[in-house]
């Protein structure tokens, strides 16, 4: 099973990313929590424990890999704890193409390249 722990639903992944994800098994989306910039470390630790427990509930009956993308310090805490428990964690790598509009706004398009293990 691949737990997609991010704010990018697998429903919107392109064909290349979905095919790469299926190598890990069934895809289950788990929305990434909103982490405020002023959240104290203790709050992140408690929230990480909650999500690690949720993810570990999937691991009771099957092999689980976690695709985790989100706020960096929270991601680090969760990945560290999952790896201690023998859970593989991966990130998606992308190519970014930026286009600048005449009004100064920027449009970024991301194309999936591969999954990379933490």
């Amino acid at each position: 099973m691949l737990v997609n722990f991010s704010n990018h639903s697998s429903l919107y992944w392109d064909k290349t990313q979905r095919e790469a994800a299926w190598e890990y098994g069934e895809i289950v989306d788990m929305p990434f929590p909103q982490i405020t910039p002023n959240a104290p470390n203790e709050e992140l630790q408690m929230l990480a424990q909650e999500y690690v427990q949720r993810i570990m509930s999937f691991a009771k009956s099957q092999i689980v890999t976690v695709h985790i993308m989100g706020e960096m310090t929270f991601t680090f805490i969760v990945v560290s704890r999952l790896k201690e428990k023998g859970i593989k964690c991966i990130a998606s790598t992308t190519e970014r193409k930026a286009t600048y509009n005449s009004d100064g706004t920027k449009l970024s398009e991301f194309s999936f390249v591969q999954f990379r293990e933490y």
Side-chain angles (χ1 to χ4, degrees), residues 3-118:
V3 176
N4 173 34
F5 188 29
S6 75
N7 280 322
H8 303 281
S9 171
S10 62
L11 294 173
Y12 302 108
W13 288 354
D14 65 23
K15 180 182 177 190
T16 304
Q17 188 168 4
R18 277 195 307 276
E19 287 175 354
W22 275 105
E23 292 182 23
Y24 297 96
E26 174 190 6
I27 304 166
V28 174
D29 289 320
M30 178 181 289
F32 200 90
Q34 292 294 322
I35 307 291
T36 63
N38 60 349
N41 190 49
E42 297 78 23
E43 183 179 320
L44 293 183
Q45 296 291 337
M46 290 175 23
L47 192 60
Q49 186 59 32
E50 175 187 329
Y51 278 93
V52 166
Q53 287 175 346
R54 282 185 179 175
I55 291 165
M56 292 308 296
S57 71
F58 291 118
K60 289 179 182 174
S61 59
Q62 58 201 316
I63 296 172
V64 171
T65 298
V66 179
H67 171 248
I68 179 168
M69 301 289 291
E71 195 276 340
M72 294 303 297
T73 55
F74 181 75
T75 295
F76 178 80
I77 296 166
V78 172
V79 167
S80 297
R81 290 182 181 189
L82 289 171
K83 288 179 67 94
E84 286 175 359
K85 296 178 180 297
I87 302 295
K88 180 190 273 189
C89 297
I90 58 175
S92 48
T93 66
T94 59
E95 288 185 359
R96 181 175 66 120
K97 295 179 186 174
T99 306
Y100 293 89
N101 300 315
S102 59
D103 65 359
T105 59
K106 180 172 74 172
L107 174 66
S108 295
E109 290 185 51
F110 297 90
S111 299
F112 174 79
V113 175
Q114 69 174 341
F115 289 114
R116 182 178 295 144
E117 190 169 345
Y118 282 96

